[in-house]
């Protein structure tokens, strides 16, 4: 069973990463490159820009982890501007794909663990439902307070963003479980409270006084596209995991009967 689970997760993570990487390169990479030009033009007046590698920004946008990779801890000194990053072109594309692949396999394993804990036989339909729930908990709910952001945009301290993101993911996941699985009035009420609580507490806000040079329309477009790609990413993970689980199960049955 463990071999079957791992094999299905690897297939699901690979397929989801291929789809998401293609969408990233077509839809969000041009916006990241555009934002880097604004960052380079406007940020030098007050602080050195943090031109982190685009693959990290792309994957951060998929899961919205408080944009930890896109910004860093506030300003950076000029010495860090020379840190290594993938070169534009093929190398950047390769690292974007690699970062997404690692994340895809990890989330496929998480989805498998959730389905195993719920004692649900993995199917494409069931996997899609759990995948959408994963998107809601890991991407959409945190994005309400901390939407995906481009390089050069202000952000709160990294530790605060990560803590709020983790709190939101856990609270939303538990809330969805209480609402969708338990399904009694008391648990539904508790689930709604858990989902709303992190947003009532409020996401950490930027204390950076430097105004961003990135046009608001570009930032909004990046956030919308990132969330759309995130939805596809999670949906493919769920569908592919259910399909691969059935496929490896049939193959195991054929070998047993041979």
């Amino acid at each position: 069973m463990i071999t079957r689970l791992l094999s299905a997760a690897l297939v699901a993570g690979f397929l989801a990463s291929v789809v998401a990487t293609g969408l990233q390169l077509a839809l969000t990479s041009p916006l990241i490159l555009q934002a880097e030009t604004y960052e380079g033009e406007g940020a030098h007046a007050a602080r050195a820009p943090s031109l982190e590698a685009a693959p990290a920004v792309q994957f951060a946008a998929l899961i919205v982890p408080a944009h930890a990779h896109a910004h860093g801890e506030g300003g950076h000194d000029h010495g860090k501007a020379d840190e290594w990053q993938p070169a534009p072109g093929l190398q950047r594309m390769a690292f974007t794909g690699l970062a997404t692949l690692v994340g895809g396999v990890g989330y496929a394993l998480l989805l498998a663990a959730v389905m195993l804990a719920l004692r649900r036989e993995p199917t494409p339909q069931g996997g899609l439902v759990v995948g959408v729930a994963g998107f809601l908990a890991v991407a959409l709910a945190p994005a309400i307070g901390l939407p995906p952001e481009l390089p050069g945009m202000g952000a709160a301290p990294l530790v605060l963003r990560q803590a709020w993101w983790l709190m939101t993911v856990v609270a939303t996941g538990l809330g969805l479980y209480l609402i969708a699985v338990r399904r009694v009035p008391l648990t539904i009420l508790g689930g709604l409270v858990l989902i709303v609580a992190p947003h009532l507490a409020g996401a950490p806000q930027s204390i950076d006084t430097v105004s961003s040079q990135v046009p608001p329309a570009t930032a909004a477009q990046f956030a919308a596209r990132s969330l759309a790609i995130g939805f596809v990413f999670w949906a493919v993970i769920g569908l592919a995991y259910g399909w691969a689980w059935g496929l490896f199960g049939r193959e195991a049955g054929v070998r047993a009967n041979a």
Side-chain angles (χ1 to χ4, degrees):
M1 179 178 178
I2 297 299
T3 301
R4 183 181 177 186
L5 185 152
L6 292 175
S7 300
L10 287 172
V11 170
F14 174 77
L15 293 176
S17 68
V18 169
V19 173
T21 299
L23 292 174
Q24 287 172 336
L25 294 176
L27 299 177
T28 55
S29 286
L31 298 178
I32 291 174
L33 294 175
Q34 181 182 349
E36 286 178 347
T37 63
Y38 286 110
E39 184 183 35
E41 291 172 0
H44 289 287
R47 58 178 171 86
S50 173
L51 291 178
E52 298 288 332
V57 179
Q58 298 270 27
F59 181 64
L62 275 180
I63 59 174
V64 200
H67 332 301
H69 302 288
H71 296 285
E73 292 281 9
H76 289 271
D77 58 29
H78 288 271
K80 289 192 176 182
D82 296 327
E83 288 180 351
W84 181 88
Q85 57 181 302
L90 183 60
Q91 190 177 86
R92 174 171 280 194
M93 292 170 59
F95 274 83
T96 296
L98 179 60
T100 308
L101 174 61
V102 172
V105 172
Y107 281 118
L109 289 171
L110 179 61
L111 182 144
V114 169
M115 298 196 75
L116 186 63
L118 294 176
R119 299 181 180 178
R120 303 287 176 86
E121 179 69 17
T123 63
Q125 295 83 358
L128 177 61
V129 171
V130 178
V132 171
F135 166 75
L136 295 175
V138 176
L140 185 60
I144 295 174
L146 293 173
E149 293 177 351
L150 287 163
M153 301 179 68
L158 174 60
V159 174
L160 295 180
R161 285 179 281 141
Q162 288 181 328
W164 188 86
W165 176 83
L166 182 60
M167 176 182 66
T168 304
V169 170
V170 173
T172 305
L174 288 175
L176 292 174
Y177 169 76
L178 292 175
I179 293 171
V181 179
R182 292 302 181 181
R183 297 184 185 180
V184 298
L186 184 60
T187 60
I188 290 174
L189 177 61
L192 291 174
V193 170
L194 282 172
I195 291 173
V196 173
H199 305 286
L200 293 179
Q205 300 300 314
S206 173
I207 56 175
D208 195 346
T209 58
V210 179
S211 60
S212 172
Q213 302 296 316
V214 179
T218 301
Q221 191 176 40
F222 177 75
R225 290 184 179 184
S226 297
L227 287 173
I229 294 172
F231 177 81
V232 174
F233 176 75
W234 280 98
V236 173
I237 287 178
L239 287 169
Y241 180 79
W243 169 78
W245 177 271
L247 175 65
F248 289 121
R250 289 192 295 271
E251 291 181 352
V254 170
R255 289 195 298 268
N257 295 327

